Amino acid sequence: MQARSRALAADGKRIGIVPTMGFLHEGHISLIKRAKKLSDVVITTIFVNPAQFAPHEDLDKYPRDEKGDIAKIKKVGGDIVFIPNAADMYPANYQTYIDVENLSKSLEGAIRPGHFRGVTTIVAKMFNITRPDIAVFGMKDYQQGMVIRQMVKDLDYPIRIIIAPTVREKDGLAMSSRNKYFTPAQRKEAVCLYASLAVARNMVKVEKVKKVSAIRKEMVDVIKDICPMAEIDYIAFTDYKTLAPVKIIDNTCICSLAVRVHGVRLIDNMRL
Amino acid sequence: MQARSRALAADGKRIGIVPTMGFLHEGHISLIKRAKKLSDVVITTIFVNPAQFAPHEDLDKYPRDEKGDIAKIKKVGGDIVFIPNAADMYPANYQTYIDVENLSKSLEGAIRPGHFRGVTTIVAKMFNITRPDIAVFGMKDYQQGMVIRQMVKDLDYPIRIIIAPTVREKDGLAMSSRNKYFTPAQRKEAVCLYASLAVARNMVKVEKVKKVSAIRKEMVDVIKDICPMAEIDYIAFTDYKTLAPVKIIDNTCICSLAVRVHGVRLIDNMRL
């Protein structure tokens, strides 16, 4: 892959990368399409990265479909698929990790310690292997995108980071490979994240509510109405650039939440 | 610098980098010469990196001579000098660091916590800015070279790391920008590190001594004879690849030591 990337760069090609964990859905496809528009050659990487999973998380059961993924990438015009294996990416005696110290601490980082360290490390490795000009990530993993942007800025990677909009199912549920874990009945309740965000946005835009505490209370009610068993990890209102918490909504605010729906941990977010 | 490096690479030039903290001596010059032999364009970087100094260390008084350095680099045929400033390298809100976890813990890392984190971070930044094919470091900072090699391997940088031999003064003292701190009388005592290493090598090669404890005892005596005020941070005998401590000398052993001579901390090493 390194030799191939070097040859492409020597040929004057603009390289785009879409790093994924595979089991591709419409969200991933939209990222590949976006990368196609911005570069000459799109490399899609598929790697279920052990370093970003904690021991109790779903690494082992994370869904995989290499053959299906390759077909989807081909169909949408992706040029190269890079599918390394874990033993090559983390050989014996592996010991180097990258930390984005502040942005990694809150929200997902607080609930999943070490998660972003795993993400930034694998993304840097993919960057060093493929030497892209641009890299496209999804808005659903908003904090991830911000953490990667900070890493790229701090470590002087000559790479432009694009954060592309979340693609949603008809009922509003954000596309996620983890949605396949649900039974049909559970799947219906999974809409609770989006429904609560939609209510929050309505409160801000239409009812002109400004106080985070009032909005959060309403969101909890919406979630519990739709999915009584839901366990809410957090509902956070932050500045969309710094991820610093806000108490009063202004137009720099993004609401992010993580909810466990029948044992499946989902995340979503929306600018308010 | 990024635009320049990209243009050089597009032109098919092989780039060599020699990262330094400036105040160049014959040791640095030998690295530039080595880089010249192995590449088309040699970039020498000069940056006294705050991130690798602890608050009590000699960052502020570290010697600088930008004009003299540039003249020396020109004379030896170095092509490009890159001299960034600290505010550009570590702007407000800087927060990304790279850790090589195991190799950074012992020897220098044990005495100077955070030192190698600063080294690997700045070296990665320099790599991302200059995109070299090869990078040359000096053997005097042996552990540093090993830590950087591990980082390059782990993070998949397509860069060859060269560790070039230590250049010594006539009496054997390893060249170091810090040697300028000494008065002439102190300077004479600074040979104690090399003298103890030479005795150690003689014990191994000629007297066939194998026990580390016996050699270390003799080295301490040599150091104290030459410089009674010397404070020894460590005298370590390790495998030269893994840096794991050894008790019996075999041909994989390297001896490293750090000694404070009249308040100036010096390091040196020798394969036994």
Side-chain angles (χ1 to χ4, degrees):
Chain A
M1 187 69 251
Q2 284 181 319
R4 184 87 179 268
S5 300
R6 174 169 291 231
L8 287 168
D11 223 30
K13 300 294 188 201
R14 193 169 166 76
I15 298 175
I17 184 180
V18 181
T20 82
M21 298 209 300
F23 208 74
L24 305 183
H25 50 64
E26 283 302 311
H28 298 108
I29 300 306
S30 76
L31 306 183
I32 298 171
K33 284 181 184 164
R34 183 73 177 272
K36 286 277 303 173
K37 277 190 193 146
L38 297 166
S39 49
D40 302 315
V41 177
V42 174
I43 302 169
T44 306
T45 71
I46 297 178
F47 183 60
V48 182
N49 175 30
Q52 72 191 67
F53 288 79
H56 64 277
E57 292 180 344
D58 59 343
L59 172 64
D60 291 337
K61 67 166 184 170
Y62 197 86
R64 294 165 198 247
D65 179 17
E66 211 168 275
K67 218 175 142 187
D69 288 344
I70 292 171
K72 286 174 190 167
I73 293 164
K74 211 175 218 170
K75 197 177 161 200
V76 74
D79 303 282
I80 296 172
V81 189
F82 178 51
I83 313 181
N85 63 56
D88 284 340
M89 294 306 264
Y90 300 109
N93 199 32
Y94 187 94
Q95 56 187 281
T96 305
Y97 294 93
I98 299 179
D99 260 311
V100 176
E101 296 190 341
N102 303 336
L103 281 177
S104 292
K105 272 186 188 144
S106 60
L107 307 176
E108 288 301 289
I111 305 275
R112 306 180 68 186
H115 170 66
F116 286 122
R117 176 174 170 273
V119 168
T120 44
T121 300
I122 195 68
V123 168
K125 283 166 67 72
M126 292 297 188
F127 284 174
N128 292 338
I129 292 168
T130 63
R131 293 260 178 106
D133 297 281
I134 65 145
V136 186
F137 296 87
M139 174 79 182
K140 175 169 69 69
D141 298 279
Y142 182 67
Q143 187 181 12
Q144 170 181 282
M146 299 301 286
V147 167
I148 289 167
R149 267 204 181 136
Q150 185 72 39
M151 174 183 78
V152 162
K153 178 171 178 276
D154 284 349
L155 295 184
D156 304 301
Y157 276 105
I159 300 170
R160 185 176 154 213
I161 302 298
I162 313 284
I163 313 278
T166 300
V167 177
R168 299 181 179 280
E169 304 282 357
K170 275 186 190 154
D171 65 351
L173 173 65
M175 299 259 180
S176 165
S177 306
R178 289 186 171 99
N179 294 347
K180 96 157 219 106
Y181 292 146
F182 295 120
T183 65
Q186 292 171 342
R187 164 63 190 80
K188 279 181 193 164
E189 296 186 11
V191 78
C192 65
L193 288 87
Y194 174 74
S196 73
L197 288 167
V199 165
R201 183 143 70 178
N202 195 63
M203 287 176 81
V204 172
K205 298 287 175 205
V206 180
E207 301 169 33
K208 309 297 181 192
V209 179
K210 296 278 185 203
K211 282 180 75 174
V212 158
S213 55
I215 301 171
R216 183 185 278 116
K217 190 178 168 302
E218 192 63 31
M219 289 177 72
V220 171
D221 287 348
V222 170
I223 292 167
K224 293 292 187 181
D225 275 353
I226 297 173
C227 178
M229 306 282 286
E231 298 168 84
I232 300 171
D233 274 354
Y234 61 82
I235 300 177
F237 298 80
T238 64
D239 182 275
Y240 80 102
K241 277 192 175 164
T242 65
L243 297 186
V246 300
K247 286 190 173 174
I248 300 295
I249 307 289
D250 61 20
N251 61 8
T252 69
C253 182
I254 185 166
C255 177
S256 313
L257 78 169
V259 179
R260 273 171 288 157
V261 173
H262 297 284
V264 179
R265 194 172 180 283
L266 300 178
I267 60 174
D268 204 345
N269 61 72
M270 199 178 278
R271 279 293 295 276
L272 297 182
Chain B
M1 187 70 251
Q2 284 181 320
R4 184 87 179 268
S5 300
R6 173 170 291 232
L8 288 167
D11 222 31
K13 301 293 188 200
R14 194 170 165 76
I15 298 176
I17 184 179
V18 181
T20 81
M21 297 209 300
F23 207 76
L24 304 183
H25 50 64
E26 283 302 312
H28 297 110
I29 300 305
S30 77
L31 306 183
I32 298 171
K33 283 182 184 165
R34 183 72 177 274
K36 287 274 308 170
K37 277 191 193 144
L38 297 166
S39 48
D40 302 314
V41 176
V42 174
I43 301 169
T44 305
T45 71
I46 298 179
F47 183 61
V48 182
N49 175 31
Q52 72 190 68
F53 287 79
H56 64 277
E57 292 181 344
D58 60 344
L59 171 64
D60 290 336
K61 66 167 185 170
Y62 197 87
R64 294 165 198 249
D65 178 17
E66 212 169 274
K67 217 174 142 185
D69 289 344
I70 292 170
K72 286 174 190 167
I73 292 165
K74 212 173 215 173
K75 196 176 161 200
V76 75
D79 303 281
I80 296 173
V81 190
F82 176 52
I83 313 182
N85 64 55
D88 284 340
M89 294 307 263
Y90 301 108
N93 198 32
Y94 187 93
Q95 58 186 285
T96 305
Y97 294 94
I98 299 179
D99 259 312
V100 175
E101 297 192 337
N102 303 335
L103 281 176
S104 292
K105 274 187 188 144
S106 61
L107 308 175
E108 288 300 290
I111 306 276
R112 306 180 69 187
H115 170 67
F116 286 122
R117 176 175 170 274
V119 169
T120 44
T121 299
I122 195 68
V123 168
K125 283 167 68 71
M126 293 298 189
F127 285 174
N128 292 339
I129 292 169
T130 63
R131 294 259 178 107
D133 297 283
I134 66 144
V136 186
F137 296 86
M139 174 78 182
K140 175 169 70 65
D141 298 279
Y142 183 65
Q143 187 181 11
Q144 169 181 281
M146 298 302 286
V147 167
I148 289 167
R149 266 204 181 137
Q150 186 72 41
M151 174 183 77
V152 162
K153 179 170 176 278
D154 284 349
L155 295 185
D156 303 301
Y157 276 105
I159 299 170
R160 184 175 156 215
I161 302 298
I162 313 283
I163 313 277
T166 300
V167 177
R168 298 180 180 281
E169 304 282 357
K170 274 185 188 154
D171 65 352
L173 173 64
M175 298 263 181
S176 166
S177 306
R178 289 186 171 98
N179 294 346
K180 96 157 220 106
Y181 293 146
F182 295 119
T183 66
Q186 291 170 343
R187 164 64 189 81
K188 279 181 192 163
E189 297 186 12
V191 78
C192 66
L193 287 86
Y194 174 75
S196 73
L197 288 167
V199 165
R201 184 143 69 180
N202 196 62
M203 287 175 81
V204 171
K205 300 287 175 203
V206 180
E207 301 169 34
K208 309 295 181 195
V209 179
K210 296 279 186 203
K211 281 180 78 174
V212 158
S213 54
I215 301 170
R216 182 185 279 117
K217 189 175 171 303
E218 193 66 29
M219 288 177 73
V220 172
D221 288 347
V222 169
I223 292 167
K224 292 292 186 180
D225 275 354
I226 297 173
C227 178
M229 306 281 286
E231 298 166 87
I232 300 170
D233 273 354
Y234 60 82
I235 300 175
F237 299 81
T238 64
D239 183 275
Y240 81 103
K241 276 194 177 167
T242 64
L243 298 185
V246 301
K247 289 190 171 175
I248 300 297
I249 307 288
D250 61 23
N251 61 8
T252 69
C253 183
I254 184 165
C255 178
S256 313
L257 78 169
V259 179
R260 272 170 289 157
V261 174
H262 297 284
V264 179
R265 193 171 181 283
L266 300 177
I267 60 174
D268 204 346
N269 61 72
M270 199 177 277
R271 280 292 296 275
L272 296 181

